[in-house]
Amino acid sequence: MKQRTPAELGTQPIGRLLWQYALPSIVAMTASSLYNNVDRFFIGQGVGVQAIAGLATTFPFMNLSAAVGAMVGVGASTVISVRLGQKDVATAKHVLGNTVSVNIILGILFTLLCWWWLDDILYLFGATANDISYARDYMQVILLGNTLTHCYFGLNAVLRAAGRPQSAMMCTLLTVVVNTILDPIFIWWFGWGIRGAAIATILSQAISLAIQLRLLSDKREAMHFCRGIYRPSFPIVRQILAIGMSPFLMNACACLVVGLINNQLERYGGGLAKGAYGIVNGIIFIFIMIVMGFNQGMQPIVGYNWGAKQDERVWRALRLTIIAGTSVTTLGFLVGMLFPRQIVSWFISADDPQVEAFMEHAVRGFRIIVCVFPVVGSQMVITNFFQSIGHAAKSMFQSVTRQMLFLLPLLWLMPKAYGLNGVWFAMPMSDTLSAVVTWLMLWWLVWHLKHKRS
């Protein structure tokens, strides 16, 4: 049978390609963010506000786990896209095999290390004596299925790079559907509480992983599993990790910063402020994930054409993605400013005695966080662009700029002067500063390339 290849990345109109590749990724990423909010909804309605606070503590921990999987998956997908653009299918297949091997190794190591220091890590991320039991119950289950989670995220990225974004989208949608079905069964009917939400999460990912393995075993595809590709190759692993280090550091720094945010909110506003941030952050994350969907649609287009030295197509893809990303975050700004109370009310029971105090924290925090949200879209797109063309160091610097150079110091200093409001305002201030740095780096790249080729 004739093999299908992603050669269309170098020939089809950029606008059509971006929509074709981005739409499945947008659906998948939006579904992924809804997937997390499903847990918040059922736990908030079925367990209570205190459990929401405990769950807020687990999400930076879960994102740290996902960051390891993303490091391998995003790095591998970028290498695969470039190799396919260079018509080097054999090396691309070796990258596929190494993606599985490295994710299994890192997944097991991560589980063992985190299990040993579980309570210490949860306290680092903002847990207190009042809510650590909820956080511990949830994370113990998540860690037991951690290796499956790593492989699921890694292979989904590979499917997109191999020219199968619709398949990646369907796998992500399946996890959402299964998780949404299992959550009320495990939490309410079986009475498993917050552990039930974690079990539903792992089972839904395991089912999608089985389908990914089946899809990538299809020998009709240019990219498929075969003998001799699983033994770790140092040059391949080094390249995967070098490129993937940018999203890993971005996510790892974000986890540490969210832990600091949780601690500062607990200190200056109490557990309700921390729980409110957990819900607000989950809502905002929907818009972030849509932008990431556009980024993932852009990535194989830019990677392929950069490898094929078709510069005009590279720049057009970047321009269109910046416009799309900025439009999405502007929509998030409008939603956060106009409808914060209505949206937050979905996640908490009206009968909860602390509902009004909780709502006050959530509405104020929501509006402050999104006040400069329109600039976030372009910053995210440009950071992903540098990663897509293999400029790992630049992308890595951009990734950590907002978190470590700006947000971390602001989170430490501003609450000393402005209390709880200082914690909230630190976030939009760091967004603005990091956007300026990112645009300056893009300008420098364009200037350098023009002078190099003139």
Side-chain angles (χ1 to χ4, degrees):
M1 289 188 180
K2 184 179 178 180
Q3 289 184 331
R4 290 173 286 180
T5 68
E8 64 178 7
L9 293 169
T11 58
Q12 295 295 317
I14 292 295
R16 183 189 305 169
L17 275 176
L18 182 61
W19 184 246
Q20 175 186 340
Y21 275 76
L23 181 59
S25 295
I26 290 167
V27 174
M29 299 303 286
T30 304
S32 180
S33 60
L34 293 175
Y35 173 84
N36 291 328
N37 282 313
V38 164
D39 282 352
R40 290 185 178 96
F41 173 80
F42 285 111
I43 290 171
Q45 295 289 339
V47 186
V49 169
Q50 200 64 54
I52 286 288
L55 191 66
T57 302
T58 69
F59 278 108
F61 199 167
M62 287 183 64
N63 288 338
L64 184 61
S65 172
V68 179
M71 174 175 62
V72 179
V74 174
S77 66
T78 300
V79 177
I80 287 172
S81 294
V82 173
R83 291 296 184 179
L84 291 176
Q86 296 170 342
K87 314 300 183 186
D88 188 357
V89 178
T91 301
K93 287 182 180 179
H94 275 87
V95 177
L96 168 62
N98 276 222
T99 301
V100 176
S101 303
V102 173
N103 264 323
I104 291 174
I105 294 170
L106 292 180
I108 293 173
L109 289 175
F110 186 90
T111 297
L112 294 175
L113 290 172
C114 291
W115 191 278
W116 186 261
W117 288 291
L118 180 57
D119 280 13
D120 293 332
I121 296 173
L122 289 173
Y123 279 121
L124 175 67
F125 288 143
T128 66
N130 295 325
D131 54 41
I132 193 171
S133 61
Y134 293 109
R136 184 191 301 116
D137 287 348
Y138 191 85
M139 282 309 304
Q140 284 177 341
V141 176
I142 294 297
L143 285 175
L144 288 175
N146 180 64
T147 302
L148 296 178
T149 300
H150 283 200
C151 291
Y152 161 71
F153 281 115
L155 292 182
N156 230 35
V158 169
L159 280 173
R160 287 189 295 269
R164 306 188 67 178
Q166 290 84 4
S167 297
M169 175 191 71
M170 295 307 298
C171 287
T172 304
L173 285 175
L174 182 62
T175 63
V176 178
V177 172
V178 173
N179 190 51
T180 303
I181 294 172
L182 294 180
D183 259 349
I185 295 173
F186 291 168
I187 295 172
W188 295 342
W189 295 350
F190 288 3
W192 292 349
I194 200 167
R195 279 188 182 272
I199 294 170
T201 295
I202 295 301
L203 283 180
S204 62
Q205 291 175 348
I207 292 170
S208 288
L209 175 61
I211 294 175
Q212 290 170 340
L213 294 173
R214 175 62 179 170
L215 290 171
L216 289 168
S217 299
D218 187 351
K219 291 182 171 53
R220 294 172 297 178
E221 299 292 335
M223 290 292 296
H224 62 268
F225 293 125
C226 56
R227 291 183 178 181
I229 64 174
Y230 305 101
R231 183 186 298 274
S233 165
F234 179 73
I236 289 176
V237 172
R238 181 179 59 185
Q239 192 173 12
I240 289 174
L241 297 183
I243 295 173
M245 190 61 65
S246 172
F248 171 75
L249 287 178
M250 180 175 64
N251 289 326
C253 290
C255 294
L256 295 174
V257 169
V258 170
L260 178 58
I261 292 172
N262 283 337
N263 279 287
Q264 293 291 72
L265 289 172
E266 178 75 36
R267 178 179 179 183
Y268 291 97
L272 292 182
K274 181 176 69 175
Y277 172 70
I279 288 180
V280 170
N281 194 40
I283 297 167
I284 292 172
F285 207 58
I286 295 174
F287 297 97
I288 296 294
M289 294 298 265
I290 295 174
V291 178
M292 290 179 66
F294 276 110
N295 285 343
Q296 290 182 354
M298 176 187 71
Q299 184 272 323
I301 302 170
V302 168
Y304 186 100
N305 286 285
W306 187 265
K309 301 186 184 304
Q310 300 189 75
D311 291 354
E312 180 55 36
R313 294 175 62 81
V314 171
W315 299 119
R316 178 161 174 77
L318 174 62
R319 287 194 298 269
L320 290 176
T321 311
I322 288 175
I323 293 171
T326 302
S327 300
V328 170
T329 52
T330 300
L331 177 61
F333 162 80
L334 294 174
V335 169
M337 286 295 182
L338 299 176
F339 310 108
R341 176 174 287 272
Q342 293 88 333
I343 295 175
V344 172
S345 65
W346 298 344
F347 294 87
I348 53 177
S349 172
D351 298 327
D352 195 299
Q354 297 176 297
V355 63
E356 282 305 319
F358 186 91
M359 189 66 71
E360 182 181 349
H361 286 298
V363 170
R364 180 174 58 189
F366 204 158
R367 284 179 169 150
I368 293 174
I369 290 175
V370 301
C371 68
V372 297
F373 209 46
V375 307
V376 173
S378 63
Q379 194 270 341
M380 290 179 61
V381 171
I382 296 169
T383 298
N384 183 265
F385 170 76
F386 278 101
Q387 174 187 304
S388 299
I389 63 176
H391 287 205
K394 294 184 179 68
S395 181
M396 190 182 308
F397 175 78
Q398 291 171 343
S399 298
V400 301
T401 293
R402 176 186 181 271
Q403 309 292 343
M404 305 304 290
L405 295 184
F406 299 137
L407 184 53
L408 197 62
L410 288 170
L411 281 171
W412 186 259
L413 295 173
M414 289 192 64
K416 295 180 182 297
Y418 303 105
L420 181 59
N421 282 335
V423 182
W424 295 121
F425 275 108
M427 291 177 254
M429 288 180 65
S430 65
D431 287 336
T432 303
L433 293 170
S434 60
V436 171
V437 171
T438 300
W439 273 100
L440 287 174
M441 292 184 67
L442 178 62
W443 173 83
W444 174 258
L445 174 68
V446 173
W447 182 88
H448 177 74
L449 289 176
K450 283 183 177 179
H451 282 73
K452 181 178 180 181
R453 296 175 185 180
S454 59

